[in-house]
Amino acid sequence: MREEGIHNHKLQYDALILRFSGEIGIKSRPVRLRLEKRIEEIVKRELTREGIKVLGVSKFLGRLIINTPEPIAAIPRLTKVFGISSLSPALRTSSNLQDIVEASLRIAKGLLRPGSTFAVKCRRVGSHPYRSPEVCRRVGEAILNGIGRDVKVNLDEPDTSFSIEVRGADAYVYVENETIKGPGGFPKGSQGKVLCLLSGGVDSAVALWLAMKRGCYPLLVYFDNEPYTDDTTTQRAVEVAKKLSEWTQGFCNRVYLVPHGNNLKEILDRCPRRLTCILCKRMMYRIAEVLADRLGAEGLLTGEALGEQASQTLHNLRILEQAIVKYPVHRPLLGFDKDETHKIARLIGVYELTARKVKECTAAPEKPATKASIEDVLEAEERLDVDTMVRKTFEGIVVRRLDRDFSGT
Ligand code: ATP
Ligand code: MG
C-alpha cells in the first residue's frame, strides 16, 4: 500500500486503474453491481475531497478506470478504500496500434535501465484490427529498437513487465511493477454497524480494522478506568480511533467514552481479587450491550485472542459472554498469533501508536483466574448492584468527536 517507485521516471501518467476485490467479482450480478457502485461513489467523493480533477470514470472487467491528470496524488487516499485490491497508474491512449506502441515506448524510455529485461502483456475487449499477441510483439520490437540500451525480452522473470489493456476505442498502458496493493475487502457500509470495544492497545485496533475491511460501519466505545489508568491511556485510545477513522473516510468520527473507574472500584472493594478482570469485562460487555441497542448495532467486537490473557481462555470467554444476551461478540483475532497482529498493525500504520507507553490498569490482579467458575462469578456479582451500576455508567457516557481538538469533549 505504498506508492514508492512510481516517481522513478518523469512520465506524466493520466489515468488510474483500480481493481475490485476478487470476492466482489464472484457475487451475483445485482450484488456485484451494488458493491461496485458503492466503491465508485466512495472513490469519487475521496477524489473530490482531495481536490483531484477527474476527467472521466468508467468500469470494465472488474476495474474502475479514472482519467485524471493527477493519478499519483490520488493514490494515498484510494489505498484506504476497502473493496479495492490494487491500483495502477497508467498512460491512456487510443486503441490505434501505433498510439499504443508510442505510449509504451514513452514509458519504457524513462524506465528501462541498461542491461535490464522486460515483458509485454495485453488484454483486449472489443473489436480491433489486431489481436493481443500482435500488440505484444509490436510493442516489444519498438522497445528493443527504440531504447538501444542492451535491453532484452524475458517472459518468465522480467525486471519490468508492461501491461496493455485495450477496451473499445481506448487503451491503457501501465507497468506491473508499479501496481500498488489496495486493502481488499468490501466497501464500507456494505455490512451493518458493529460496536467496537477499543482499548487503545494493538489487538482491538487490528480487530476493528478487520471488521471495517469486511464492510462494517464501526462505532467506537472506550472504557475509561481512571484512577486505575490515567489520561495517557485515554489519549492513546482517542488517537488510535482517529488514525483508524482514516479508513472509513471519516465515518467513525466519534468515540463513546465510558467512565468505568467507579465500577472497577466497587469490584475491587467487594469481590475476590482473582476475578477482577472477568468482572470488569462482564460490566464492559453489559454497558456495551445497552449502547449497541441504543445505536442500532448488530453486534459487539473485541480484540480478544485465544489464550492471550487470563481473561481470554476459551473457558473465560464463555464466562464473559454469559453476561449479555442480545448481541454476539465478534472476535476477529481469535486465532491470531501476536506477530500476525503486529504485522497488520504495521501495515495499517497503528503499530507505533498502540505501542506507546501509557499507564496500564493498576487494578489487574497478580494471579487472575484462568478458569473462573460461573457460580463464583455470579456469587461475586451478587455483592454488586449490577443494574444500577450499568444504568448510572450509561448516563455518564461522553461523546468525544475525533474531527475536533483532542482537548475538548
Ligand atoms: P488490546 O490490545 O486491544 O488492549 P489485550 O489483548 O491487551 O487487548 P485485554 O486488555 O484483556 O486484552 O482486552 C481484551 C479486549 O477487551 C480488548 O481487545 C478490547 O476489545 C476490550 N477492552 C479492554 N479494555 C478496554 C477498554 N478500556 N475500553 C474498551 N475496550 C476494552
Ligand atoms: Mg491491552
Side-chain angles (χ1 to χ4, degrees), residues 3 6-7 11-18 47 52-53 66-76 78 87-91 180:
E3 69 271 22
I6 291 179
H7 302 277
L11 186 90
Q12 187 69 53
Y13 285 126
D14 57 5
L16 197 55
I17 300 178
L18 310 179
L47 294 175
I52 288 175
K53 207 187 276 175
I66 319 276
N67 295 335
T68 166
E70 308 162 86
I72 308 292
I75 287 171
L78 299 188
L87 309 85
S88 308
L91 199 56
I180 296 141

Side-chain angles (χ1 to χ4, degrees), residues 199-204 236 308-309 312 338 354 360:
S199 68
V202 69
D203 298 308
S204 43
R236 183 183 65 169
E308 219 232 28
Q309 307 264 358
Q312 298 173 23
K338 202 71 185 182
T354 56
E360 295 296 342

Side-chain angles (χ1 to χ4, degrees), residues 179-218:
T179 291
I180 296 141
K181 214 166 139 33
F186 293 117
K188 78 169 166 180
S190 50
Q191 296 291 326
K193 297 179 197 160
V194 68
L195 182 63
C196 306
L197 282 72
L198 187 77
S199 68
V202 69
D203 298 308
S204 43
V206 171
L208 162 52
W209 184 83
L210 289 170
M212 294 196 290
K213 177 159 116 76
R214 298 298 287 182
C216 290
Y217 267 140

Side-chain angles (χ1 to χ4, degrees), residues 323-357:
I324 55 172
V325 289
K326 284 180 76 170
Y327 290 92
V329 180
H330 300 293
R331 301 185 175 94
L333 303 190
L334 193 77
F336 272 46
D337 290 347
K338 202 71 185 182
D339 56 345
E340 293 172 299
T341 305
H342 284 172
K343 198 169 157 202
I344 296 183
R346 285 201 179 87
L347 201 70
I348 64 177
V350 295
Y351 180 78
E352 266 79 29
L353 203 48
T354 56
R356 193 165 82 197
K357 200 120 195 68

Side-chain angles (χ1 to χ4, degrees), residues 100-101 104 120 134-144 164:
I100 295 175
V101 168
S104 308
V120 184
E134 191 183 344
V135 177
C136 297
R137 199 175 56 247
R138 284 280 304 276
V139 170
E141 277 167 13
I143 292 177
L144 287 171
I164 296 154

Side-chain angles (χ1 to χ4, degrees), residues 15-211:
L16 197 55
I17 300 178
L18 310 179
R19 295 171 196 84
F20 299 124
S21 300
E23 259 183 273
I24 292 177
I26 55 173
K27 297 280 179 206
S28 65
R29 190 178 140 80
V31 174
R32 177 170 59 77
L33 292 180
R34 181 166 50 77
L35 294 173
E36 291 180 355
K37 186 159 185 335
R38 181 108 188 92
I39 296 171
E40 184 177 338
E41 284 165 5
I42 295 169
V43 165
K44 282 183 181 161
R45 204 173 323 132
E46 280 306 282
L47 294 175
T48 306
R49 280 189 0 163
E50 190 71 20
I52 288 175
K53 207 187 276 175
V54 175
L55 305 176
V57 178
S58 55
K59 247 184 357 181
F60 92 111
L61 289 180
R63 290 151 163 67
L64 195 63
I65 298 181
I66 319 276
N67 295 335
T68 166
E70 308 162 86
I72 308 292
I75 287 171
R77 266 189 190 263
L78 299 188
T79 46
K80 288 197 168 72
V81 174
F82 294 114
I84 294 175
S85 69
S86 65
L87 309 85
S88 308
L91 199 56
R92 187 163 81 103
T93 176
S94 86
S95 60
N96 177 298
L97 188 49
Q98 192 50 37
D99 287 348
I100 295 175
V101 168
E102 277 169 22
S104 308
L105 193 56
R106 274 175 65 202
I107 299 183
K109 277 186 174 158
L111 203 60
L112 291 184
R113 284 186 300 275
S116 68
T117 59
F118 72 95
V120 184
K121 288 183 199 156
C122 176
R123 279 158 61 102
R124 198 175 59 82
V125 178
S127 140
H128 304 98
Y130 50 78
R131 300 181 67 116
S132 301
E134 191 183 344
V135 177
C136 297
R137 199 175 56 247
R138 284 280 304 276
V139 170
E141 277 167 13
I143 292 177
L144 287 171
N145 296 333
I147 295 259
R149 283 180 209 156
D150 194 23
V151 293
K152 286 195 186 73
V153 173
N154 180 341
L155 298 183
D156 299 322
E157 283 185 356
D159 296 322
T160 305
S161 187
F162 296 91
S163 261
I164 296 154
E165 300 202 352
V166 188
R167 176 200 168 225
D170 298 322
Y172 296 85
V173 185
Y174 64 91
V175 179
E176 279 179 20
N177 316 40
E178 293 183 334
T179 291
I180 296 141
K181 214 166 139 33
F186 293 117
K188 78 169 166 180
S190 50
Q191 296 291 326
K193 297 179 197 160
V194 68
L195 182 63
C196 306
L197 282 72
L198 187 77
S199 68
V202 69
D203 298 308
S204 43
V206 171
L208 162 52
W209 184 83
L210 289 170

